[in-house]
Amino acid sequence: MKTVAMLLFPDLLLLDMSGPLEVFSIANRYLPPQAHYRIVTVGSQAGLLRASNGVAVQADITLQEATEAYDLLLIPGGPGAYDQPMPAVQHWLQEAVPRTEYYGSICTGAFILGDAGLLDGYRVTTHWHYTERLIKRCPKALVQNDQIYIQDRNVLTSGGVTAGIDLALAVVARDHGKKVAQDVAKVLLVLMRRQGGQALFSPLTAAVAPQESAVTRVQNYVLAHLDEPFTVERMAALANMSPRHFSRLFVRDVQVTPMEFVQNARIDCARSLLETTELPLKTIAYKSGFGSVRHMRFLFTSRLGLTPVQYREQFS
């Protein structure tokens, strides 16, 4: 029997907790009693803990009582995970993790592990909306922004909210085989493995900085004229700079190259048109600046893991 522990704290996201725990609970229906998952919830404090949606939950035990070894220790996300530090939780985690076989987080629960120094040197992920914030807060972690979940050695982290179910299914498959995990996925009416990653849900192009500069002027021009051809030389000319100097400033301010920005903007434009219109693919490819459906299909598949047709079917 394996023991799965879940940390509870005020302002947690309830689905981050309940989704993965339901996976382990349903898995027990398909397992002999001796192979069942034993689920334990650990409260950051005694008494009722109110989740971010207002529902109150109560843990089985408190931090002070949680002294056993766990096979898997998970930290859910929610506003309480990143709004303010929890020194008592950090101290407990630093003592609990060495006696735990695997540990990890769902969604923004990564902030709690990161604050305790437990993500340093590991490839990890979190909800796409909080990736940059986690990078700044935990500079020693190797944060990636597109995966639904990641396992790096004994650390498991997942993207936002429902990605915790994907992570838990992967654990069940590892522990008891793919067939059991597939049976659980069927009960939950979810896919065993999703197509694409978090990039399907997040914009590839970050918002243009409000401060006006030569770089932001070029960004705004590109966004307004995506059907025009762009090269680094043309964008540099719009900024009245040499291509080399413009490229250096652009990467410094935007964290991607000028041509990567153009490509991302075109993909985001096409995504919006696929989601909100019934325009034919040829028209969308033209309006987004791809030039051809074939080129648009190639970039969609390489960046998002879906063709434009599959994307429209899934999101429109």
Side-chain angles (χ1 to χ4, degrees), residues 112-129:
I112 294 178
L113 290 176
D115 287 344
L118 297 171
L119 299 182
D120 293 356
Y122 288 94
R123 291 189 306 110
V124 300
T125 192
T126 187
H127 190 292
W128 62 263
H129 188 70

Side-chain angles (χ1 to χ4, degrees), residues 222-255:
V222 169
L223 293 173
H225 301 85
L226 283 172
D227 57 334
E228 298 179 6
F230 287 101
T231 62
V232 173
E233 289 73 20
R234 185 185 175 203
M235 287 185 278
L238 290 170
N240 294 315
M241 296 179 187
S242 70
R244 183 176 180 182
H245 182 55
F246 171 75
S247 295
R248 185 166 59 248
L249 288 182
F250 198 98
V251 171
R252 184 197 68 185
D253 293 350
V254 188
Q255 279 77 57

Side-chain angles (χ1 to χ4, degrees), residues 26-172:
I26 293 171
N28 286 344
R29 303 180 192 177
Y30 299 94
L31 298 171
Q34 66 273 19
H36 278 190
Y37 289 101
R38 171 176 166 258
I39 297 171
V40 177
T41 53
V42 181
S44 64
Q45 59 195 57
L48 292 176
L49 301 166
R50 197 161 297 279
S52 60
N53 64 359
V55 174
V57 295
Q58 185 162 357
D60 297 316
I61 56 177
T62 62
L63 297 177
Q64 293 73 26
E65 299 168 308
T67 58
E68 66 176 296
Y70 302 113
D71 295 285
L72 175 62
L73 171 60
L74 291 174
I75 317 296
Y82 53 80
D83 276 349
Q84 56 187 1
M86 294 184 278
V89 168
Q90 293 175 28
H91 178 73
W92 176 77
L93 283 170
Q94 289 164 351
E95 292 187 341
V97 161
R99 60 176 183 265
T100 298
E101 185 175 5
Y102 294 96
Y103 67 95
S105 60
I106 297 95
C107 194
T108 53
F111 285 85
I112 294 178
L113 290 176
D115 287 344
L118 297 171
L119 299 182
D120 293 356
Y122 288 94
R123 291 189 306 110
V124 300
T125 192
T126 187
H127 190 292
W128 62 263
H129 188 70
Y130 295 89
T131 300
E132 292 301 321
R133 186 169 173 178
L134 184 64
I135 290 171
K136 293 177 182 177
R137 189 145 150 185
C138 306
K140 294 183 180 179
L142 308 176
V143 181
Q144 302 185 2
N145 63 2
D146 187 36
Q147 284 76 8
I148 297 294
Y149 66 87
I150 292 175
Q151 177 173 347
D152 185 357
R153 289 160 285 174
N154 64 327
V155 175
L156 302 97
T157 54
S158 77
V161 196
T162 58
I165 294 174
D166 297 78
L167 184 151
L169 286 170
V171 171
V172 171

Side-chain angles (χ1 to χ4, degrees), residues 235-282:
M235 287 185 278
L238 290 170
N240 294 315
M241 296 179 187
S242 70
R244 183 176 180 182
H245 182 55
F246 171 75
S247 295
R248 185 166 59 248
L249 288 182
F250 198 98
V251 171
R252 184 197 68 185
D253 293 350
V254 188
Q255 279 77 57
V256 296
T257 68
M259 293 312 296
E260 285 173 334
F261 174 82
V262 172
Q263 183 183 94
N264 290 344
R266 285 178 170 153
I267 292 174
D268 282 346
C269 177
R271 289 165 70 174
S272 178
L273 292 172
L274 288 166
E275 292 171 12
T276 60
T277 75
E278 295 183 359
L279 292 171
L281 295 185
K282 186 175 181 179

